[in-house]
Amino acid sequence: MKTQTLAALAGLVLLLVSSTSHADQSIEQIYGIYCVQCHGLQRNGTGINVPALSVKPRDHTDAKSMGDTPDDELFKAIKEGGLAVNKSVLMPTWGHVLSEEQITGLVKYLRQVCKCGK
């Protein structure tokens, strides 16, 4: 059952990636493609990859934690990975995949998710 769910999710991600160009993707779609596997559908750090990770992904719905993190640190974490901001090495770098505009959009989106806009 778990394998079937994982296969279905992987197929959905491939379908989304292949059918939509980066320029046409909404920020929520980008989050769904690149972030949901670890941060979860509810954005609370409970994604499908969690059992295989030694560090729990950040809960993007946590207003206190997210509110204490400056936008530039979120941007750097997305662009350069967790290690760049002294967080988990398991957080990959997305700067080679996403444009700076998309990363800025993700930071704004995270502020909406946590209801901690700055």
Side-chain angles (χ1 to χ4, degrees), residues 27 75 99-110 112:
I27 294 303
F75 184 95
S99 69
E100 293 210 358
E101 179 181 281
Q102 290 171 317
I103 295 171
T104 298
L106 280 170
V107 171
K108 290 178 183 176
Y109 176 71
L110 291 174
Q112 294 172 351

Side-chain angles (χ1 to χ4, degrees), residues 15 17 36 42 44 46 48 54 56 63 72 90 94-96 103 117:
L15 178 63
V17 170
V36 161
Q42 303 303 315
N44 61 359
T46 59
I48 195 166
S54 60
K56 186 178 187 281
D72 62 334
L90 300 174
W94 295 112
H96 61 285
I103 295 171

Side-chain angles (χ1 to χ4, degrees), residues 11-84:
L12 178 60
V13 168
L14 287 174
L15 178 63
L16 287 172
V17 170
S18 64
S19 67
T20 309
S21 74
H22 284 300
D24 295 337
Q25 292 172 342
S26 74
I27 294 303
E28 192 167 354
Q29 286 175 319
I30 290 170
Y31 188 98
I33 292 168
Y34 299 104
C35 310
V36 161
Q37 292 81 7
C38 294
H39 295 282
L41 292 170
Q42 303 303 315
R43 288 36 177 167
N44 61 359
T46 59
I48 195 166
N49 288 342
V50 169
L53 302 175
S54 60
V55 177
K56 186 178 187 281
R58 184 169 219 177
D59 178 352
H60 291 150
T61 66
D62 182 347
K64 170 69 173 124
S65 172
M66 291 294 291
D68 289 344
T69 306
D71 287 357
D72 62 334
E73 186 174 327
L74 293 173
F75 184 95
K76 188 172 184 176
I78 297 166
K79 183 175 182 175
E80 299 176 26
L83 190 59

